[in-house]
Each structure stands twice: as C-alpha cells, then as structure tokens.
Amino acid sequence: MALTGLQIYKLLPRTNCGDCNFPTCMAFAMQVAAKKVSLDRCPHLSEEARAQLAEASAPPMKLVCIGNDENRLEIGQETVLFRHKEKFYRPTGVAILIEDNLTDEELDKEVSSINQLKFTRVGEEIGVNLVALKHKSLGAEEYAKLAGRITENITLPLILISYDPSVTEHALKVIGNKRPLIYSANRENFEKMASLARQYSCPLVVYGENLEELADLTQKIKKMGVDDLVLDPGVRQTKSALEYLTKLRRLAVEKIFRPLGYPTIMFTSEDDPFQEIAQASTYVCKYANIVVIEAKDTWQLLPLLTVRQNIYTDPQVPNAIESKLYEIGSVIPSSPVIVTTNFSLTYFTVESEVENSKVPTYISVVETEGMGVLNAYAGDKWSAEKIAKTLDQQKVREKVDHNTIIIPGLVAVFRAELIDEFGWNVLVGPEEAARIPSFLKNEWGQMVKNEKK
C-alpha cells in the first residue's frame, strides 16, 4: 500500500532545512503522499530511505512498453477512474488475433489485411497496435519461425500467446530483441515465464482466476525481478469482465494497491461480429489497456477505433484546428469560398465532402473556440462581424476574383448582415455536409455560368 504522510515523514531527515522549498519536512511529506511533488526535491535523503519512499512517489499504475521501435505501444500509468476528472492518457492497444494453424497463403492474406488497417479521422491516423500470435498446433520451432516471419512483414509488436514456457522460449530466441508481450504466467508456470521475461527484458502477462490470485502472483513475480506486468483477470463474459476491470482500476488508482497497479488485457469472446465489436468497445471504455479481437474487417475495426479515439481525447480541451484559409485541391481565383468553424469534426467533414465534389475550394475557418456551427452560434462564439474580420485577416479578397462566400445553412441568419454591413455576396449552403458536393456542382456552378453570361 502507499505510504501515508506520517510514514514518509519518519523516513525524512526531519531537519526542516527548507532546501526542498517547503517550510517543514512534514509539509514536504504530505505533498509527496499526495503525489504532488517528487522525492528528488529533498537533497538530503539517504539511499535507504529513498528506496523505501520510491513507492510513495510512483504513479498508481505501472507504465509498460511493448515493442522497441517507432511502433512500440505504451500502456498504463492512468490516474483516474473518470476522464472528466483529468483525462485518460494512453489509448487502449487493439490487437488482432492470429492462430498458428494458418496455411502460408492464409497467413500472407492476414498480414496484408492487417497492414492496411490504418485510417485517417479528423486529421489523426488511427489503426491497430499489436498482433497476437496464438499457439495452437505447431511445434515450438515452427511457432518460433512463424513469429519471426510475422515480424519481418508487420511492423507492429507481437503478443506471444502460449502457456508452454518451452514454446515461448523458442519464440523469444527469434524475436526476443523485439520486446514482445509474453502471454502468460499463471500459478503453474509463473517461475519459468518470469525467468524468460527477465532474461529477454520483455513485459509479461499475469493470469489469475480472481483478484487475490493475481495480487499474489504479481508480488511473487516482482520479487524475481520482473515488474513490467499486464494483468488478465481471467473472465471472458462482458458483465463479469466489466466488474473485474472496474475493481482493478479502482484498486490501482484510488486505493493505490500496488500488487494490482498494472495495466490490463482482455480478450473478446462473442461469436457474432457485431457483438464482438460492441464487447471490445465496452472494454475500451472501461478499462482494458489492451483488447485482443478476432475481427479483421474494416467495417468492424473503424467503429472500434473511432470509439477509442473519442474516449481518449481530453474532454477539457476543445478538439479544434487552426483558424486559417485552407486550400482544397488546385484552387484558382474563381474557386468558391466556404466558411466554417474550427471544430475539428466539422472542418474535416466539410473537407471530405469538398474533396468528394472534385471542385477546388477555399475553406475559411473561423476561430470559435473549438465549437461546431450551432454551438458556436448559441454560445455567441461567432457572428457575421467575426466572419467578416476573419475573411479580411485571411486576405480572401486578394486570392479570389469574385465577392461571394458560402456560409452554413444552419446560420443563414448571418446572410443579411454580411451583405449589408460588409459587402459580401452570400450564398447559403446546405445544412448537412453530405449535400456539399451537389451544392458546389449545381448552385455554385450555376452562379458561375450566370456571371459569365
């Protein structure tokens, strides 16, 4: 358990020297216990005391790194149960499960499919993070060769799934330098698995039938010199898993119970492809740090990755883009000018539809503190005057040979003021972004034809 302020105070020099910038050692001890300052602030702490106090200043959940290159995955070190209190820091790793009984042709197809599971949403690239190779039928040497072949063709880190230490050892001889995640240590094999994890400096999954068993195993394994651990609470049904994951997170971040202060891994168990993604999404929200799934199709992965992206945004910081004039396509002086807000989802939705239209277009983004069209209007974050000032700052009139702008249909109320007060010719665009392509081809195209006449 974490040390109290009084326990920490007893291990300090107790000289009240003030070198830590606190008036007394007791004041410093209370701040360390609250995890608001580091032990390093005390220059007179003995090495023996520092070792005893290290636990008090450590994060409530261990940070674990899987892989060792640019695609490595860091999980854990979360500090809250609910993201509105602060935020969740490290997005859940999504792992695609592959069994070792595939033919060479099937494996090549799987590898090709996994390499393509990357998407761009609201300006951010999202995708899967891990490949989980399950030992099912191959011998130890064949399994090791398969692991090596996968790492040669996929840059993602691996999870080696086998309960047989000899199989795991053969695989680690081939890819141990890639720092895969070893799955898993249980009450029967934990000594051998922990020895392998220590030898190859790899993180290790600890499997337990209940929380008491998990806590007992983590302490035994930690004494063996292995502390990069991931917990599998051993349940596969959604309701029970959610209960266990919540207990684990609460014990880690609220009770500061060190034996369970590690990230978690969960496996989906639903056969129906729709239910599997629903189950995985539940685990992403609460509170799995890795989710292993069998789903591999784009239509399944994109919704799951979208849920993860939304959950791991900072709820206290607006999801905004820079307010400036964007050029979509090879714009020319006669290109249309669309006005919108700097809410990321709004902008990237508009951008996508403009690209679909194949009409080179300027998009003038107005600073609205990251709010969408209606929210910004209701919150008085944009107005006809603000749009006009933004257009002037972006020197739109210097870039186009016309005087027309397109505003969202939801704020058609701005039209009259933009015309009368600021001299713009205003077209009221569609209320839904999906209608932008037809609008640019028809309404805008017709206006251009009329002007030429």
Side-chain angles (χ1 to χ4, degrees):
M1 296 292 290
L3 300 179
T4 65
L6 184 58
Q7 289 171 321
I8 294 171
Y9 172 72
K10 291 179 180 179
L11 295 171
L12 294 177
R14 289 181 282 179
T15 58
N16 298 330
C17 63
D19 289 345
C20 61
N21 294 324
F22 287 91
T24 66
C25 289
M26 177 59 79
F28 175 68
M30 297 304 293
Q31 293 299 307
V32 172
K35 304 192 186 306
K36 294 182 178 179
V37 298
S38 169
L39 284 172
D40 296 336
R41 293 276 290 272
C42 177
H44 309 296
L45 197 62
S46 68
E47 289 302 318
E48 181 181 356
R50 189 179 300 277
Q52 295 182 57
L53 291 170
E55 183 180 25
S57 60
M61 182 185 292
K62 175 75 174 179
L63 175 67
V64 176
C65 179
I66 305 167
N68 55 10
D69 55 19
E70 66 276 5
N71 289 309
R72 67 183 181 274
L73 176 67
E74 293 184 343
I75 56 174
Q77 214 171 65
E78 300 296 344
T79 58
V80 293
L81 271 172
F82 305 106
R83 72 188 189 115
H84 63 266
K85 289 185 177 180
E86 189 174 340
K87 70 173 183 178
F88 296 158
Y89 284 93
R90 290 172 178 80
T92 301
V94 175
I96 302 297
L97 183 67
I98 295 179
E99 295 185 347
D100 67 357
N101 58 357
L102 299 177
T103 65
D104 290 345
E105 183 179 351
E106 290 172 334
L107 180 63
D108 291 340
K109 184 178 179 181
E110 294 278 13
V111 168
S112 176
S113 174
I114 292 172
N115 282 330
Q116 296 176 26
L117 293 176
K118 295 180 181 179
F119 315 92
T120 299
R121 181 175 180 270
V122 293
E124 179 183 356
E125 185 176 276
I126 55 179
V128 299
N129 311 97
L130 300 155
V131 175
L133 178 59
K134 184 176 181 180
H135 176 246
K136 192 169 184 179
S137 59
L138 291 181
E141 292 185 1
E142 289 76 13
Y143 178 81
K145 290 179 181 178
L146 182 59
R149 183 178 171 188
I150 292 174
T151 56
E152 289 176 357
N153 294 279
I154 295 180
T155 58
L156 302 177
L158 252 62
I159 304 175
L160 299 174
I161 301 181
S162 174
Y163 294 103
D164 186 342
S166 65
V167 172
T168 302
E169 184 175 11
H170 276 79
L172 289 173
K173 288 179 180 178
V174 177
I175 65 165
N177 62 329
K178 299 290 186 180
R179 195 176 165 81
L181 176 62
I182 300 171
Y183 183 97
S184 67
N186 54 38
R187 60 190 174 191
E188 284 82 23
N189 68 7
F190 75 90
E191 291 181 341
K192 292 182 179 179
M193 285 295 198
S195 295
L196 290 172
R198 184 179 64 243
Q199 179 181 350
Y200 289 93
S201 299
C202 291
L204 175 66
V205 175
V206 182
Y207 176 95
E209 295 292 341
N210 51 59
L211 300 187
E212 291 77 11
E213 184 175 307
L214 271 177
D216 180 58
L217 285 172
T218 59
Q219 292 180 89
K220 291 178 179 177
I221 292 172
K222 186 175 181 179
K223 289 179 180 178
M224 296 178 65
V226 178
D227 197 31
D228 286 339
L229 305 178
V230 179
L231 306 182
D232 182 351
V235 289
R236 297 293 180 259
Q237 298 305 311
T238 306
K239 181 179 178 181
S240 299
L242 185 59
E243 178 183 349
Y244 271 68
L245 289 169
T246 302
K247 287 180 179 179
L248 282 168
R249 176 63 70 91
R250 181 173 286 116
L251 286 167
V253 305
E254 290 190 342
K255 303 300 182 180
I256 318 296
F257 184 59
R258 297 295 181 184
L260 295 178
Y262 299 96
T264 56
I265 184 171
M266 288 303 302
F267 292 74
T268 56
S269 60
E270 295 287 349
D271 295 326
D272 180 85
F274 295 96
Q275 290 300 318
E276 183 186 15
I277 296 305
Q279 185 182 39
S281 298
T282 300
Y283 296 157
V284 167
C285 295
K286 290 189 173 182
Y287 289 102
N289 300 101
I290 296 175
V291 176
V292 182
I293 62 175
E294 296 186 21
K296 301 177 183 68
D297 293 330
T298 298
W299 67 267
Q300 295 172 288
L301 268 297
L302 186 54
L304 174 62
L305 297 174
T306 298
V307 168
R308 182 183 68 180
Q309 186 183 33
N310 291 339
I311 290 296
Y312 281 86
T313 56
D314 189 343
Q316 301 178 31
V317 177
N319 194 2
I321 64 167
E322 182 182 357
S323 173
K324 68 177 186 178
L325 187 66
Y326 293 83
E327 299 178 2
I328 310 302
S330 302
V331 293
I332 56 178
S334 61
S335 293
V337 179
I338 293 179
V339 177
T340 190
T341 73
N342 76 328
F343 177 45
S344 291
L345 187 57
T346 296
Y347 169 77
F348 285 109
T349 302
V350 171
E351 179 196 53
S352 176
E353 296 300 337
V354 169
E355 289 177 343
N356 290 339
S357 75
K358 308 299 182 184
V359 178
T361 302
Y362 288 102
I363 301 181
S364 174
V365 174
V366 180
E367 172 60 55
T368 58
E369 299 182 16
M371 293 187 179
V373 174
L374 283 180
N375 285 339
Y377 175 58
D380 199 27
K381 299 301 181 182
W382 74 332
S383 61
E385 180 181 4
K386 193 167 187 179
I387 290 174
K389 287 183 177 179
T390 299
L391 293 169
D392 288 342
Q393 292 169 357
Q394 296 171 353
K395 299 180 179 180
V396 172
R397 282 193 170 98
E398 298 177 13
K399 297 181 181 293
V400 297
D401 59 8
H402 57 83
N403 196 42
T404 302
I405 59 172
I406 302 168
I407 63 173
L410 293 171
V411 288
V413 65
F414 292 159
R415 181 174 184 272
E417 188 175 350
L418 285 166
I419 294 173
D420 298 339
E421 299 294 331
F422 302 102
W424 288 97
N425 181 36
V426 180
L427 289 180
V428 177
E431 294 186 359
E432 299 87 16
R435 291 187 55 235
I436 288 177
S438 62
F439 180 89
L440 291 177
K441 293 176 182 177
N442 299 323
E443 280 84 345
W444 175 261
Q446 188 60 45
M447 189 201 76
V448 172
K449 289 179 182 179
N450 293 337
E451 287 186 351
K452 289 182 178 179
K453 293 180 180 178

